[in-house]
């Protein structure tokens, strides 16, 4: 008796009791689909987090900021507590082997303009020339803010592509145009020098579009009379630098060098990499707990399969007796029932995978992304459900195999 | 049947005891000995409790004797393990049961294929042989029918075809007409006679119907676990192929099984 014949035999057995086979499968379907759903959603969350990293630019971002000491004397921040251009310059020189770029910014605030009887909302930021590297913004046309703009406090701006499209018809046409807006208490005009590609963030798309306009940081400072001191600064290290380790050394150095005598403030370093690692860990723990619960439902499904197989063996006692009288060895009877239980579980597993992927992606809609489990995950899930079939099918099958043919033939 | 033919069944002091907890020991068969020569159509008769079923189980290799040797075609069955017993049942013995015992939800053809399936025969060969066998019992047109679509007589003919699947040494028929009306029962008996005459099959018929037994070559009568008579019938004169049995009365007085059941649907397959 070959494998194909065993499968055909098992399918015939299942066909005879469709409803029952389906209900038995349901346990496996629920178990497998919840496992797959959880892994799919896990993949989606991970993808979402990975998206955040690329959006915000970088794994090798080190942010340094000032904070109050525990035994702080003052609660107000003075310019001497903050980073100056001079300190930044010194740090860049001191750590020239590690630090690649620096990003400083000055927020100006909201700006508006009226276009085709529509109010367009913008947010204006002053940036330095390195900034483009930090947010890994793709420049589509023109150029980014450069040192000359900053030195000369020029009224130039870099705008997102969708705004360029809206106002000037295309990114090409935008270059050289004058953007006039109401900002910081007056109408200001800026020459458009560049157009960057707007990227929707992984968690965005909920609010109405607010365009970010980049201008030179010096221009921004002048507009709102801000002083060149910073309470936080972003650095980008070279790719091969271990950011988490470097950020510790860096923080210690800055505290030692500049804040030793400051009785109220010190600095702290923060890395995106560290944050993401801990978020991933939390997600992993939640996923693990949910997987255990899903695993329990799979176990319950498996017990259901065993139960039904026991019923099936009892019901077919006489048939088993006849098969034995006709020369079926115990092994053939055992295989017949195991194959039947494996088929229930395999079909249930396949349906469960499909349902799990669909449900998982339904949850994934929240993150505006989708995920399909890898072939490996599917193979593991199907093999696992088949293993359940073997495990929970073995006992009933063995019971069938060991029936005494005389007793079985006599069974009513 | 000539006496000098080689014995296919050799029973040598067969005892069967059941141990239902010491010291209770129930002896069912008290040392039976008999031979069945190749090609004989023998009937074993006896009332309920005579040990008939126990003997049948031993002949059918479903059970082993507690003591004594049973040789089937030269093989000492008493020495075999479970696996070897199932092979003997598969290749050497063809079972025909009172209640047909066809596998439900499986076509007549598949039922006939079953013993060949367990024998490991290839699918093409199997189907070919199964079709030939259905032809032999005149059931070719019902090959694709399910057992529940067939009358009792038709089912039994399928079962006989199935018993012949692996060309066994003996056919062991346990009350094959017991669930059939007399007319259908007789048609089934016709098939056994045909197999016996045309193919020289050794057939062991277990029955308590004396009239059926009288159609065979030899009658072994059991009572309380002993052979009380073993008589050869005078050739096959008792039986002629197209004889119609008008009525069948229970020959043994004692038990309900001897009442011939009337199968209403079986009238159709009277041909």
């Amino acid at each position: 008796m070959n494998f194909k014949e065993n499968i055909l035999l098992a399918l015939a057995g299942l066909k005879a009791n469709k409803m029952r086979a389906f209900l038995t499968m349901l346990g496996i379907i629920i178990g497998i689909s919840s496992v797959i759903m959880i892994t799919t959603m896990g993949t989606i969350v991970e993808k979402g987090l990975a998206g955040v990293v690329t959006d915000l630019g970088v794994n090798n971002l080190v942010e340094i900021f000032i904070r109050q000491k525990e035994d702080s004397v003052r609660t107000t921040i003075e310019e001497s507590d903050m980073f100056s251009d001079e300190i930044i310059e010194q740090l860049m020189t001191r750590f020239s082997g590690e630090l690649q770029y620096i990003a400083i910014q000055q927020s100006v605030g909201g700006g508006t303009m009226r276009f085709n009887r529509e109010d367009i909302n913008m947010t204006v930021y002053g940036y330095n020339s390195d900034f483009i590297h930090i947010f890994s913004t793709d420049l589509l046309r023109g150029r980014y803010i450069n040192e000359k703009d900053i030195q000369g406090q020029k009224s130039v701006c870099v705008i997102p592509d969708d705004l360029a499209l809206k106002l000037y018809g295309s990114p090409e046409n935008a270059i050289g145009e004058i953007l006039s807006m109401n900002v910081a208490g007056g109408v200001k005009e800026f020459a458009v020098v560049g157009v960057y590609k707007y990227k929707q963030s992984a968690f965005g798309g909920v609010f109405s579009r607010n365009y970010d306009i980049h201008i030179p940081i010096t221009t921004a400072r002048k507009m709102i009379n801000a002083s060149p001191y910073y309470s936080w600064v972003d650095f980008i290290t070279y790719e091969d630098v271990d950011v988490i380790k470097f950020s510790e050394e860096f923080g210690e150095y800055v505290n030692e060098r500049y804040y030793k005598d400051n009785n109220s403030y010190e600095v702290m370093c923060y890395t995106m990499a560290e944050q993401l690692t801990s978020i991933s860990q939390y997600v992993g723990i939640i996923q693990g707990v949910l997987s255990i619960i899903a695993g329990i439902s799979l176990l319950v499904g498996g017990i259901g399969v065993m139960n039904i197989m026991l019923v099936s063996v009892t019901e077919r006692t006489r048939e088993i007796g006849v098969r034995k009288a006709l020369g079926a060895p115990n092994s053939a009877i055992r295989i017949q029932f195991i194959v039947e239980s494996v088929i229930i579980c395999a079909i249930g597993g396949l349906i469960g995978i499909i349902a799990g992927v669909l449900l998982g992606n339904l949850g994934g809609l929240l993150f505006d992304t989708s995920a399909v489990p890898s072939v490996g995950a599917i193979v593991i899930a199907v093999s696992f459900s088949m293993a359940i079939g073997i495990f929970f099918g073995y006992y009933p099958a063995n019971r069938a195999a060991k029936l005494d043919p005389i007793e079985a033939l006599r069974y009513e | 049947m000539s006496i000098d033919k080689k014995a296919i069944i050799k029973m040598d002091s067969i005892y069967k005891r059941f141990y239902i907890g010491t010291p209770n020991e129930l002896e069912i068969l008290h040392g039976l000995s008999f031979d069945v020569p190749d090609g004989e159509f023998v009937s074993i008769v006896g009332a309920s409790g005579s040990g008939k079923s126990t003997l049948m189980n031993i002949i059918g290799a479903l059970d082993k004797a507690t003591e004594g040797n049973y040789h089937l075609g030269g093989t000492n069955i008493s020495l075999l393990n479970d696996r070897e017993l199932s092979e003997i049942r598969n290749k050497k013995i063809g079972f025909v049961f009172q209640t047909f015992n066809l596998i439900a939800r499986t076509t007549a053809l598949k039922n006939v294929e079953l013993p060949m399936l367990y024998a490991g025969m290839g699918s093409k060969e199997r189907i070919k042989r199964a079709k030939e066998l259905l032809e032999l019992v005149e059931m070719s047109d019902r090959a694709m029918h399910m057992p529940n679509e067939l009358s009792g007589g038709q089912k039994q003919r399928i079962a006989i075809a199935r018993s012949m699947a692996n060309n066994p040494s003996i056919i062991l028929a346990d009350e094959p007409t017991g669930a059939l009306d007399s007319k259908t029962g007789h048609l089934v008996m016709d098939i056994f006679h045909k197999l016996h005459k045309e193919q020289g099959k050794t057939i062991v018929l277990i029955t308590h119907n004396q009239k059926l037994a009288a159609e065979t070559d030899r009658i072994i009568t059991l009572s309380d676990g002993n052979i009380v008579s073993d008589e050869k019938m005078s050739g096959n004169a008792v039986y002629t192929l197209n004889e119609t049995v008008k009525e069948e009365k229970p020959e043994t007085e004692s038990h309900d099984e001897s009442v011939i059941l009337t199968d209403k649907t079986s009238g159709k397959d009277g041909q």
Side-chain angles (χ1 to χ4, degrees):
Chain A
M1 200 152 167
N2 65 32
F3 192 62
K4 188 183 144 211
E5 279 153 354
N6 269 311
I7 288 180
L8 291 176
L9 193 68
L11 285 176
L14 295 178
K15 240 166 84 183
N17 266 315
K18 285 195 202 84
M19 187 63 185
R20 191 161 84 186
F22 174 72
L23 288 175
T24 313
M25 257 175 223
L26 207 54
I28 299 296
I29 292 173
I30 291 170
I32 290 283
S33 65
S34 40
V35 171
I36 293 289
M37 186 177 80
I38 288 159
T39 44
T40 306
M41 284 177 77
T43 314
I44 285 169
V45 171
E46 258 165 44
K47 261 174 97 175
L49 289 177
V52 172
V53 178
T54 19
D55 270 10
L56 300 188
V58 267
N59 285 315
N60 29 9
L61 176 111
V62 178
E63 188 168 287
I64 190 160
F65 58 92
I66 57 167
R67 66 163 188 194
Q68 272 188 338
K69 283 182 172 169
E70 276 175 31
D71 51 358
S72 166
V73 181
R74 283 178 289 121
T75 51
T76 53
I77 301 180
E78 289 166 14
E79 284 179 356
S80 62
D81 295 323
M82 296 198 275
F83 303 107
S84 62
D85 284 338
E86 195 192 350
I87 292 178
I88 292 168
E89 197 87 3
Q90 285 168 359
L91 287 174
M92 287 299 278
T93 315
R94 170 70 181 73
F95 291 99
S96 58
E98 289 88 6
L99 299 177
Q100 192 176 9
Y101 302 115
I102 167 168
I104 45 179
Q105 78 168 55
Q106 178 63 61
S107 176
V108 177
T112 53
M113 72 177 288
R114 203 148 168 85
F115 179 76
N116 281 352
R117 281 180 285 168
E118 185 193 346
D119 280 322
I120 295 174
N121 293 312
M122 292 168 280
T123 309
V124 182
Y125 295 98
Y127 289 128
N128 66 334
S129 59
D130 275 356
F131 192 83
I132 189 160
H133 304 294
I134 298 212
F135 284 74
S136 60
T137 314
D138 292 327
L139 201 65
L140 293 178
R141 289 284 176 244
R143 61 171 179 84
Y144 200 67
I145 296 157
N146 62 21
E147 281 305 320
K148 248 171 119 181
D149 298 330
I150 290 166
Q151 299 286 322
Q153 302 182 353
K154 300 246 177 84
S155 287
V156 295
C157 69
V158 179
I159 62 170
D161 56 345
D162 54 346
L163 182 65
L165 201 68
K166 188 166 187 150
L167 298 180
Y168 311 112
S170 78
E172 291 89 340
N173 294 346
I175 308 299
E177 290 288 339
I178 302 297
L179 183 72
S180 142
M181 69 172 101
N182 202 330
V183 64
V187 175
K188 299 269 166 23
E189 289 185 333
F190 298 92
V192 178
V193 294
V195 175
Y196 70 88
K197 176 132 186 64
Y198 167 68
K199 277 188 226 158
Q200 194 176 346
S201 91
F203 300 97
V206 182
F207 305 105
S208 68
R209 183 83 176 89
N210 193 329
Y211 303 95
D212 285 358
I213 309 296
H214 300 198
I215 63 170
I217 186 162
T218 46
T219 317
R221 259 183 221 141
K222 196 175 82 182
M223 278 164 72
I224 57 168
N225 289 320
S227 53
Y229 294 97
Y230 319 97
S231 58
W232 58 270
V233 181
D234 285 348
F235 292 96
I236 299 290
T237 67
Y238 286 100
E239 307 246 334
D240 53 356
V241 172
D242 178 350
V243 261
I244 296 171
K245 196 161 154 252
F246 172 71
S247 73
E248 280 175 35
E249 290 171 18
F250 188 57
E252 274 171 34
Y253 174 81
V254 175
N255 275 327
E256 185 65 29
R257 173 89 166 72
Y258 300 101
Y259 288 86
K260 211 177 175 186
D261 301 326
N262 192 318
N263 56 15
S264 302
Y265 287 88
E266 62 180 358
V267 297
M268 264 289 284
C269 277
Y270 161 105
T271 61
M272 198 52 98
E274 206 167 9
Q275 294 305 306
L276 286 171
T277 310
S278 57
I279 292 171
S280 292
Q281 276 168 352
Y282 285 127
V283 171
I285 290 167
I286 292 165
Q287 212 180 335
V289 170
L290 289 175
S291 296
I292 289 169
I293 295 167
I296 291 169
S297 72
L298 200 53
L299 182 75
V300 173
I303 292 168
V305 171
M306 174 140 87
N307 191 20
I308 274 309
M309 291 312 292
L310 283 171
V311 171
S312 176
V313 168
T314 308
E315 262 181 7
R316 285 149 76 183
T317 299
R318 202 181 170 92
E319 177 192 320
I320 294 162
V322 174
R323 287 182 186 275
K324 287 193 155 191
L326 297 180
N330 292 356
S331 57
I333 303 288
R334 191 180 295 125
I335 287 169
Q336 181 189 337
F337 283 95
I338 288 179
V339 168
E340 208 167 290
S341 126
V342 167
I343 284 180
I344 289 179
C345 291
I347 295 174
L350 282 174
I351 298 173
I353 288 168
I354 294 166
V357 171
L358 291 180
L359 289 172
N361 278 305
L362 210 64
L365 287 179
L366 291 175
F367 292 93
D368 226 6
T369 176
S370 66
V372 174
S374 63
V375 177
I378 290 173
V379 169
I380 289 169
V382 173
S383 343
F384 187 62
S385 55
M386 286 170 82
I388 288 172
I390 294 172
F391 185 79
F392 289 102
Y394 185 83
Y395 174 69
N398 203 39
R399 211 152 106 157
K402 285 188 172 159
L403 281 175
D404 175 15
I406 299 168
E407 292 294 323
L409 277 169
R410 213 179 280 155
Y411 185 84
E412 293 296 330
Chain B
M1 287 293 122
S2 52
I3 309 286
D4 50 39
K5 264 209 167 178
K6 203 180 128 220
I8 190 113
I9 294 174
K10 251 176 102 69
M11 288 285 180
D12 186 15
S13 328
I14 296 290
Y15 287 87
K16 183 69 191 180
R17 298 184 196 100
F18 289 98
Y19 298 92
I20 40 179
T22 41
N24 304 324
E25 175 185 310
L26 189 66
E27 192 170 278
I28 304 289
L29 300 176
H30 314 295
L32 306 185
S33 299
F34 63 92
D35 290 357
V36 177
D38 195 8
E40 194 173 55
F41 192 170
V42 58
S43 45
I44 296 171
V45 297
S48 276
S50 61
K52 205 173 43 165
S53 296
T54 308
L55 179 60
M56 183 197 75
N57 288 337
I58 291 171
I59 296 174
L62 288 167
D63 200 0
K64 286 202 271 191
T66 315
E67 204 184 314
N69 288 309
Y70 161 36
H71 286 85
L72 176 66
T75 312
N76 190 346
I77 302 298
S78 322
L79 302 176
L80 303 182
N81 63 26
D82 268 9
R83 171 116 213 162
E84 291 161 332
L85 283 178
S86 56
E87 200 172 327
I88 289 287
R89 289 197 294 268
N90 185 231
K91 304 237 167 77
K92 304 287 181 202
I93 298 162
F95 284 91
V96 179
F97 304 94
Q98 178 173 7
T99 49
F100 328 119
N101 279 340
L102 296 181
I103 306 286
R105 310 182 302 264
T106 308
T107 60
L109 188 74
K110 289 262 180 226
N111 263 286
V112 179
E113 279 182 51
L114 203 56
M116 296 183 266
L117 189 72
Y118 288 126
M121 195 187 279
S123 139
K124 263 192 194 146
E125 204 185 339
R126 221 162 57 206
I127 292 168
K128 184 167 167 276
R129 169 99 176 126
K131 282 183 173 162
E132 284 167 10
L133 289 165
L134 286 173
E135 183 92 14
L136 186 74
V137 297
E138 295 166 23
M139 290 294 294
S140 299
D141 53 335
R142 302 297 163 109
M144 290 305 157
H145 285 233
M146 295 290 170
N148 59 9
E149 297 164 350
L150 301 169
S151 71
Q154 289 172 328
K155 282 185 205 169
Q156 197 61 303
R157 280 194 272 166
I158 302 290
I160 294 171
R162 183 176 68 181
S163 75
M164 290 286 291
N166 289 330
N167 197 17
S169 308
I170 61 165
I171 289 181
L172 186 59
D174 176 25
E175 297 284 5
T177 61
L180 303 172
D181 64 89
S182 62
K183 197 176 162 200
T184 320
H186 208 75
L187 278 159
V188 165
M189 281 304 286
D190 278 353
I191 295 170
F192 285 121
H193 285 294
K194 188 171 147 191
L195 292 176
H196 175 229
K197 286 207 160 131
E198 291 175 6
Q199 307 209 1
K201 274 279 154 233
T202 309
I203 301 171
V204 179
L205 173 72
I206 317 283
T207 184
H208 34 35
N209 186 326
Q210 293 287 353
K211 197 147 194 169
L212 283 184
E215 293 179 13
T216 64
D217 297 339
R218 174 186 175 192
I219 302 175
I220 296 172
T221 310
L222 283 188
S223 182
D224 290 331
N226 289 303
I227 295 176
V228 292
S229 85
D230 184 351
E231 45 183 333
K232 296 242 181 276
M233 307 309 288
S234 46
N236 284 333
V238 183
Y239 175 80
T240 52
L241 209 71
N242 291 315
E243 181 195 6
T244 318
V245 177
K246 293 279 180 271
E247 55 167 349
E248 292 208 53
K249 273 191 225 145
E251 300 282 335
T252 41
E253 62 300 315
S254 53
H255 43 79
D256 52 0
E257 278 173 17
S258 63
V259 177
I260 305 293
L261 298 173
T262 306
D263 184 354
K264 293 275 194 283
T265 59
S266 61
K268 287 191 295 240
D269 64 321
Q271 294 312 319

